Amino acid sequence: MRISFILSSLWLSGGVRDIVEYANRLAERGHTIALVIPGGTNDRDMASELHHAVQCIESEVPRLNDASVFHQARLSWSMAQAVPHSDLIISTHTPTTVPGFLSTRLLRKGIPVWFYQDYLDMFRGRRLEQWLLRNAVRWHRLTLTISQYAADELRTYAPGNIEVAHIGLSHAEVFRPVLLSERPAALERRILFLGDMRPRKGLYDFLDAMAIVHAQIPNLRLWIVSKEDCDIQSELPFEYIHRPSRQELARLYAECDVFVSASWWESLGIPALEAMASAAPVVLTQSGGVLDYARPGENCLMTPARDPEALAAAVLRVLGDPALAQRLSVNGPPTAAEFDWEKVTDNLERRLHGLLA
C-alpha cells in the first residue's frame, strides 16, 4: 500500500511519536510511507527515529504561530499539494483534516482516513476545530481512535464509521520492570510527574497536592519532567528535568516511589503506561482515555481530575501502605504489555487493506 500521513508537525509529542511508530512499522512491512508536515516543523530528534524508507515531505508554506486565517488556508492548500498520490491519505491532529479533505476530495490523491488522537476539550473555544469535529468524520471513509473513550466521545459530536485502533507502547524494551520490593532504599520519597505548563496537564494541581503530602512527609523529592521549557515556581524540593533521553526517563520510572499523572483530559495517557511498564506505583486522575487500562486498586489509584486534596490522599495512601504499593507495582507490567505495537499494527494494516478491497 502507498500511505501518506498528514501531521501538524514533526515536533516531539506523544501523538507524533505514535504516528512515527506506525509509519516505521508499516515501512518495515514493505508499504510505501510518506509523512507530510508544514514547512519548518521538522524536528531533527524525531526525524532521526524515522525508518530510512519513510519519506518526510515539508510544505512550501511554513507553519507560523498565531497565523491569520488566510495564512492557515494557504498552509492547508500547500500541504494538500505536497501529499503524494497514495492509496490512503491519513489525517491525524484535527486541523490536518483540512489538507486531508483538499488532497482527497479536490485533488483526488487517495482514499481519506482520519486517525483521531485528540479529545474534545482540547479545542474548547476554538471555532474552527469545533466545526471540524462536527463535520470531518463524514469526509473520511474510516475514522480510527486510540481509545474506546475517544471513540465514544467523538460519536457524541459526529456519528459515522468510527473504530478503535489503539496504539502501542513505544521503546517498550527500555522500560524494564523493577518491582518496588527490588528497588534500593533511599532517604527521600521520590515522586515523578510528566507534563508541561498547560493547565490541562495538571502541573499546578500536582504541586498543590504535593504541598499537602510534604506537610506530612518532609523527606519528599519531586522529579518534574517536561519536553517543554517550564518556569516552575515552588518552595517544594524538586528537580526539573528537560527532555530526558528514553534511557534517562526509564531510570526515573524505575527509581521513583510513585508516578503521578494529574491531567484533566487524555486520549489515552502513555506516561502512566510507561510507569506501569517500569513497575512504578501509579496514581492518576480520571482523565478519559486512561479508562482503557486503569483498574483502580489493582494497577493504580484513581482520583477525580482537578482535585489536589484527593490526589494528595491517594499518594499518601500509596506511600503509607507497602502492601498496596507492591500490588500496584506487580500489576503494572502486565497491563503495559497489552499495548503491543506488533498487535496494533496488524490491526491497522488489516483495516486499511479492507478499505482497498
Side-chain angles (χ1 to χ4, degrees), residues 113-130:
V113 177
W114 186 10
F115 193 77
Y116 175 78
Q117 302 167 280
D118 303 327
Y119 45 86
L120 300 185
D121 279 290
M122 181 182 292
F123 304 119
R124 186 182 297 274
R126 294 166 61 174
R127 293 182 180 179
L128 174 60
E129 286 84 355
Q130 292 280 342

Side-chain angles (χ1 to χ4, degrees), residues 157-168:
Y157 248 64
N161 188 14
I162 302 171
E163 300 179 11
V164 181
H166 278 129
I167 53 177

Side-chain angles (χ1 to χ4, degrees), residues 108 126 266 281:
R108 306 291 182 183
R126 294 166 61 174
E266 292 286 351

Side-chain angles (χ1 to χ4, degrees), residues 155-177:
R155 288 190 185 104
T156 67
Y157 248 64
N161 188 14
I162 302 171
E163 300 179 11
V164 181
H166 278 129
I167 53 177
L169 186 62
S170 298
H171 304 289
E173 71 284 354
V174 175
F175 303 109
R176 299 184 181 278

Side-chain angles (χ1 to χ4, degrees), residues 207 210-211 214 218 220-222 232-238:
L207 291 173
M210 291 308 101
H214 186 250
L220 197 69
R221 183 73 176 178
L222 309 181
I232 301 170
Q233 303 296 324
S234 177
E235 295 182 358
L236 296 170
F238 75 91

Side-chain angles (χ1 to χ4, degrees), residues 148-228:
Q148 187 62 52
Y149 173 84
D152 293 342
E153 186 183 58
L154 189 58
R155 288 190 185 104
T156 67
Y157 248 64
N161 188 14
I162 302 171
E163 300 179 11
V164 181
H166 278 129
I167 53 177
L169 186 62
S170 298
H171 304 289
E173 71 284 354
V174 175
F175 303 109
R176 299 184 181 278
V178 180
L179 295 178
L180 206 62
S181 58
E182 300 170 354
R183 301 184 182 201
L187 295 176
E188 298 175 315
R189 309 308 298 270
R190 298 155 302 188
I191 312 298
L192 176 61
F193 173 90
L194 271 71
D196 54 48
M197 301 291 288
R198 290 175 294 176
R200 67 175 184 255
K201 291 300 181 181
L203 173 58
Y204 303 104
D205 297 335
F206 169 73
L207 291 173
D208 288 344
M210 291 308 101
I212 297 171
V213 174
H214 186 250
Q216 298 190 38
I217 303 178
N219 61 330
L220 197 69
R221 183 73 176 178
L222 309 181
W223 289 335
I224 300 176
V225 175
S226 182
K227 69 181 185 296
E228 308 289 348

Side-chain angles (χ1 to χ4, degrees), residues 4 14 31 43 103 120 171 238-239 247 252 294 322 335 338:
S4 294
H31 303 292
D43 182 288
S103 62
L120 300 185
H171 304 289
F238 75 91
E239 179 181 352
Q247 291 74 18
L252 296 172
T335 300
E338 297 170 9

Side-chain angles (χ1 to χ4, degrees), residues 297-314:
E298 180 182 336
N299 59 15
C300 68
L301 292 186
M302 181 184 292
T303 72
R306 293 190 265 190
D307 189 340
E309 291 79 8
L311 196 64

